[in-house]
Amino acid sequence: MLLIRCPYCEQELPEIEFRNAGEAHIARPTHIADETDDDFEKYFFIRTNPKGIIYERWRHVHGCARFFNAVRDTVTDRFLLTYKAGEPKPKRLPGVGK
Amino acid sequence: MAKSEKASKAPRSASRIDRPQEGEGGAHGLRRTLTLAGRRKKTSRVTIEAAGPASRISLRAPAESLAALSRALGVKLPEQPMGSAFGKSGDFAGTKGTGKGGGRAALWLGPDEWLVIDTEGGDPIADCRKAKVLHSAVDISHRQVAIDVSGAGAADVLSAGCPRDLSLAVFPVGAAARTVMGKIEIVLLRTAEDAFRVECWRSFSDYAFTFLAEAARDVP
Ligand SMILES: [Zn+2]
């Protein structure tokens, strides 16, 4: 079973307690009514969908119920890092060059 | 409308827990039966039985409110993940032999969320009201029921449906967590090395009990 570290529970817990909640670090426009249709489409629908490293929101829905962020490799399904909601995008990732 | 006004003026019973009436009892000739009344499964290594009635609250509060709420409840609200705490006197159901008591337990569910269970007729909502600090307390006494799972095979039976590591090193006595069991969400509390309390939603209680009883067939 895949284990995911919850930054609030401070331990690795079974994947079945968690739920994916889409891509992370997507800023909601401050004046959403003023957005052009094209900009709104980019904000609302367009996601990076990378092959490799992705920054995602996850929720420990059947545990502490908190949302947090995770860095995952979409090729290997390996979680590189998880961190609390609101914390900045980590610059350095464990096991990744650059 | 008149009916509910009348009801609200009726004197409160000594206990907030609705205990099932014995025999034909009850002022209106009604008999109340708990969802899992009489359900029991026993093998040589495990006993699964419905726990008695309890008062329960879902408590949400910020860190700065915890001291006052802990004083009001008589239980120090745990701040560590998987933490639980018990009151000082009386017995908390299911903790026999552990030296823990108080008739009341507070279980850490999340960074600002606790499940408070009172098995001795106390009123945790009224106690919270005494604490004049920011918090949210919701009575969920009847949303949930509890099942006691005990015996040398207790962890094995739970592991049939619960993905958590239930070894004593990872999930020691007093550990509490919201997790899953089979298809449902539960709150699990380890009350002794060989005993657990499973809290589940009332409408899932038949599923939960049947699941555990089926699993016990493989833990003879
Ligand atoms: Zn968690």
Side-chain angles (χ1 to χ4, degrees), chain A residues 64-77:
Chain A
C64 67
R66 254 12 66 135
F67 282 91
F68 60 92
N69 292 327
V71 189
R72 185 172 66 93
D73 190 323
T74 59
V75 177
T76 60
D77 204 19

Side-chain angles (χ1 to χ4, degrees), chain B residues 61-100:
Chain B
E64 52 274 22
S65 297
L66 299 190
L69 283 166
S70 295
R71 269 197 305 279
L73 285 165
V75 180
K76 190 174 181 329
L77 294 166
E79 292 178 66
Q80 287 301 310
M82 293 208 316
S84 70
F86 298 82
K88 285 197 181 71
S89 59
D91 288 319
F92 178 72
T95 56
K96 299 167 193 97
T98 62
K100 290 181 171 161

Side-chain angles (χ1 to χ4, degrees), chain A residues 62, chain B residues 17 35-36 48-58 84 86 92-95 103-109 114-120 138-149 158 162 171 175-191 195-209 212:
Chain A
H62 299 301
Chain B
I17 302 173
T35 45
L36 293 176
I48 302 156
E49 55 193 332
S55 293
R56 301 169 174 88
I57 61 168
S58 168
S84 70
F86 298 82
F92 178 72
T95 56
R104 186 171 285 188
L107 282 49
W108 186 96
L109 295 186
W114 291 265
L115 170 64
V116 179
I117 307 170
D118 190 300
T119 59
E120 298 293 317
V138 179
D139 192 324
I140 54 164
S141 303
H142 300 281
R143 187 185 77 177
Q144 284 169 217
V145 296
I147 300 169
D148 287 323
V149 184
L158 281 160
C162 177
F171 205 84
R178 183 159 47 199
T179 178
V180 293
M181 186 182 77
K183 292 194 289 185
I184 61 167
E185 186 175 286
I186 59 165
V187 172
L188 188 63
L189 168 68
R190 187 174 214 141
T191 51
F196 296 84
R197 181 183 176 94
V198 176
E199 288 268 339
C200 69
W201 286 20
R202 178 186 197 81
S203 53
F204 298 155
S205 60
D206 180 57
Y207 171 88
F209 190 94
L212 290 164

Side-chain angles (χ1 to χ4, degrees), chain A residues 1 3 8-17 60-66, chain B residues 60 80-82 108-113 163-164 170 178-180 182 185-186:
Chain A
M1 179 174 285
L3 296 175
Y8 295 96
C9 293
E10 298 167 358
Q11 58 179 317
E12 293 198 324
L13 294 163
E15 172 195 13
I16 198 169
E17 291 185 0
H60 192 190
V61 60
H62 299 301
C64 67
R66 254 12 66 135
Chain B
R60 306 288 304 263
Q80 287 301 310
M82 293 208 316
W108 186 96
L109 295 186
D112 60 5
E113 182 180 2
R164 290 246 177 176
V170 175
R178 183 159 47 199
T179 178
V180 293
E185 186 175 286
I186 59 165

